[in-house]
Amino acid sequence: MKVSHLPHDPGPAAWDSILPQGPHYPKLEGAQTTDWLIIGAGFAGLAAARRLRQLHPTDIITLLDARAIAEGPVGRNSGFMIDLPHNLVSEDYAGALDKDRAEAGQNRDAISFVAAAAQDYGFTPETFVRSGKVNAAATQKGTRHNHDYAAHLKKMGEAHELLDATQMQGLCGSGYYHSGLYTPGTAMLQPALFAREMASGLAADGVQIFEGSPVTDLSRGASTWTATTPDGRLETPKIILTVNGHVESFGFFRRRLMHIFLYASMTRPLDSSEQRLLGGESVWGFTPADPMGTTVRKINGIGGTRIVIRNRVTWDPSRKAGADAVSEMGRSHSRSFHARFPMLANVEMAYRWGGLLCLSRNGSSAFGEVEPGLYAAGCQNGLGAARGTYSGMMVAELAGGGSSDALAEFAAQPMPSRLPPRPIASLGAKAVLRWGEIKARREL
Ligand SMILES: Cc1cc2nc3c(=O)[nH]c(=O)nc-3n(C[C@H](O)[C@H](O)[C@H](O)COP(=O)(O)OP(=O)(O)OC[C@H]3O[C@@H](n4cnc5c(N)ncnc54)[C@H](O)[C@@H]3O)c2cc1C
């Protein structure tokens, strides 16, 4: 089984770049054996490793990634570990009531799982903060989305609070927003610190970690699998693939997964006079009321006080996006930033980057035993931090032969539905994404 595409995320992993240098893990070299091999050290892989360690305290568990820890999408996202439904392909994130209730329960289990890891592994305070988040609306249409979503949350029995323009300005310093919808359950991550500190905790718990070790080939023997990397080989009875959309690069869920890139930029640190000009609270996080709009975060921690801005998407079945896409989307980030923060006209972006995300048409994950002894937990559908963590917990239970109501419920989800033939799917998806961005207007 040759791996058809290797990870290729453009631009620096900014969240990691702003930190002092962290620990390095070795490359896989030579021939080795392990009881468990987890391929992919993102949210799902890190969670699978922790859950496996809990279930099998004396087994040899190996976690391996093509990139350095925190360099892949786990260290490139905006750090919203969202508890509530977040259906990116709806107008206002809401879906069917029963499904949304079940999903919120799963997301909260994932957040509690990370809270326990934060305790056990001694996370830095800024790594994981249960602060909630705001859906920010910059138009009347966005405000309508927020009201629709608030009505849905009311039916779900979920706490929420509508904020007016003055409250929004008090929070973020900008008069750009018409309204906001605050929900208290989201945890905010410094995503690179999260990946680093999970990996350090796992290593201290005896999990072997290899980075810079892309798996290029998997082969099955009578009772074991062999994973090959450029410099080594690992033989193991059980493999867990937590490679997100790259599960298709291993030959599974073909023509069922949509590979898109998201893009973000981060400013240089704001000095004290710029912070005064900006005003507002010291940290906050806004997702856009329109799913095609702009996510904005103010952070204040080890890397200084900065603003992070994310918008625009590209459809890339090749699972590869180039530097030209990063600079084109970067121009959009600068426009969105200056429209929101005219008082920071002299503040430039220090980092611009992109990262791969996986969606399926029906919102299902790529989950299950795909061949004997080979398990997958990928395609997190826009909720990678919470759902990635949950799918990692569940796949570890599945592979370990566990049974629980939670696992039965998660494993019962349908397969990701098939995509139309490639030219139609590509043309259709590109048109839908572009139209969504155009419709988002001032929310972008
Ligand atoms: C700019 C941006 C902003 C985002 N914001 C948010 C957000 O705020 N909240 C949220 O929930 N989600 C967000 N996401 C999405 C989120 O980052 C992903 O959904 C999440 O990382 C998926 O988790 P995962 O563990 O399934 O996969 P990943 O984190 O993608 O991890 C998979 C790992 O597998 C490795 N891999 C792949 N192939 C191989 C191979 N052949 N050999 C070895 N290793 C391999 C990759 O290097 C990668 O590290 C964002 C994404 C981007 C790009």
Side-chain angles (χ1 to χ4, degrees), residues 3 5-9 15 39-46 64-68 70-82 86 188 213-217 229 242-247 249-250 260-264 287 295 297 309-311 353-358 377-389 391:
V3 177
H5 300 66
L6 291 177
H8 187 278
D9 297 294
W15 293 96
I39 304 177
F43 289 104
L46 292 161
L64 168 153
D65 203 284
R67 321 241 356 200
E71 209 186 0
V74 67
R76 290 171 176 266
N77 62 82
S78 305
F80 291 76
M81 192 168 197
I82 300 173
H86 194 74
M188 299 300 293
S213 305
V215 172
T216 52
D217 186 89
T229 65
T242 43
V243 290
N244 204 10
H246 277 290
V247 68
S249 311
F250 284 78
I260 65 168
F261 274 82
L262 302 189
Y263 300 87
T287 44
T295 299
R297 240 186 113 171
I309 198 142
R310 184 210 61 75
N311 64 35
W353 71 97
L356 188 59
L357 179 138
C358 181
C379 196
Q380 321 299 359
N381 284 294
L383 261 183
R387 193 176 169 113
T389 298
S391 70

Side-chain angles (χ1 to χ4, degrees), residues 3 46 107 143 179 207 252 277 330 347 351 373 378 407 419:
V3 177
L46 292 161
N107 294 338
T143 295
S179 68
V207 172
F252 302 105
L277 269 177
V347 174
Y351 300 100
L407 175 58
L419 301 180

Side-chain angles (χ1 to χ4, degrees), residues 109-129:
D109 286 350
I111 292 172
S112 301
F113 183 80
V114 171
Q119 188 87 29
D120 293 350
Y121 300 157
F123 282 7
T124 309
E126 75 170 291
T127 305
F128 171 82
V129 183

